[in-house]
Amino acid sequence: MRKIAILTVTLLVVLITSCRQRKHDAAYYEMMVDSIRKAEQVKQLQREAGISDEDPLEAFLLKLPKRPLPMQSEGEHWNKIGSFAKLPRQLNDCFGYMSDAELSALSMPKAGGHQVVMLLEMQDSITPALYLYTLDGKHRPVDQLCIYEERSEDRPTDFGKTKMEYFITSGWEITLFKYYQSHEATKPTLEQARRFIINKEGKFEEVIIEL
């Protein structure tokens, strides 16, 4: 009788432990299924935005339209430069912008092994600004250079507008021209010319313009 009682107690312990384990497993698998569903929802949102959950920026950059060199400024007619692709707002932070900024991008030829991207920022509904970004091997920005913008300017004896224009050679020599348009003048005046190259570190380095 004692042996039977011990065996009975042992079986009850095993059954209770097994039931508890099954309950634990059920809750665990329900949690796993819920996590998988949430992950699939995130993936679907990323697919709709045209990005990948593995490396969203890399996936976006691979799909960018490419613009060959040389090229020159088209002024405010940025759509003549090439087919810019809208940057998903989730990637704005990669270029140092807040999520509400309106950005588009265009892929440029590599410079010394560094990937180069032209970024279009709409400062308002009609005013664009253009930037060149160099990226490292992990697609992180190394340096940036503004190549086109317009700004209102008040001077001690005048007021008007400054404008930056550019010309880029096939060898990545970037020449920037700064013009001033007085409110009284019919034509802008060239005030400054600067030239940059992209050095081995991917930095925009100013060089002397040879006359």
Side-chain angles (χ1 to χ4, degrees), residues 9 14 24 31 44 46 49 51 54 58 93 95 98 101 109 112 153 157 170 177 182 194 203:
V9 171
V14 171
H24 170 75
M31 182 179 67
Q44 180 61 30
Q46 290 176 333
I51 59 178
E54 296 177 356
E58 180 179 13
D93 183 61
F95 294 94
M98 301 295 288
E153 186 166 330
T157 58
S170 56
F177 306 95
S182 171
R194 303 172 69 188
K203 300 281 189 177

Side-chain angles (χ1 to χ4, degrees), residues 133-149:
Y133 278 79
T134 52
L135 309 177
D136 64 15
K138 295 183 179 180
H139 313 295
R140 296 173 300 196
V142 175
D143 203 3
Q144 69 180 73
L145 179 69
C146 179
I147 61 172
Y148 178 82
E149 66 175 350

Side-chain angles (χ1 to χ4, degrees), residues 10 35-36 40 59 80 89 105 114 121 128 130 154 157 159 166-167 170 179 181:
T10 302
S35 297
I36 292 171
E40 286 299 323
K80 293 183 178 180
R89 289 176 182 255
H114 289 85
E121 176 192 3
L130 291 174
D154 291 328
T157 58
F159 67 90
Y166 60 89
F167 179 79
S170 56
Y179 293 91
Q181 176 75 57

Side-chain angles (χ1 to χ4, degrees), residues 59-94:
F60 174 76
L61 293 175
L62 287 173
K63 297 177 182 179
L64 277 184
K66 296 185 181 295
R67 174 60 162 88
L69 294 176
M71 65 181 299
Q72 65 182 24
S73 177
E74 297 289 351
E76 66 272 19
H77 305 293
W78 55 267
N79 55 331
K80 293 183 178 180
I81 298 172
S83 300
F84 283 84
K86 187 174 182 180
L87 186 73
R89 289 176 182 255
Q90 300 94 318
L91 300 181
N92 281 12
D93 183 61
C94 297

Side-chain angles (χ1 to χ4, degrees), residues 123-195:
Q123 298 177 322
D124 54 42
S125 60
I126 59 172
T127 308
L130 291 174
Y131 298 85
L132 292 177
Y133 278 79
T134 52
L135 309 177
D136 64 15
K138 295 183 179 180
H139 313 295
R140 296 173 300 196
V142 175
D143 203 3
Q144 69 180 73
L145 179 69
C146 179
I147 61 172
Y148 178 82
E149 66 175 350
E150 293 184 23
R151 289 185 180 181
S152 298
E153 186 166 330
D154 291 328
R155 298 189 173 186
T157 58
D158 192 23
F159 67 90
K161 181 183 295 184
T162 58
K163 180 184 292 187
M164 185 83 74
E165 303 279 4
Y166 60 89
F167 179 79
I168 307 174
T169 69
S170 56
W172 271 115
E173 285 187 340
I174 308 158
T175 306
L176 303 181
F177 306 95
K178 181 182 177 182
Y179 293 91
Y180 176 68
Q181 176 75 57
S182 171
H183 74 286
E184 294 180 337
T186 56
K187 293 183 179 180
T189 302
L190 176 63
E191 292 192 330
Q192 187 182 61
R194 303 172 69 188
R195 182 165 295 164

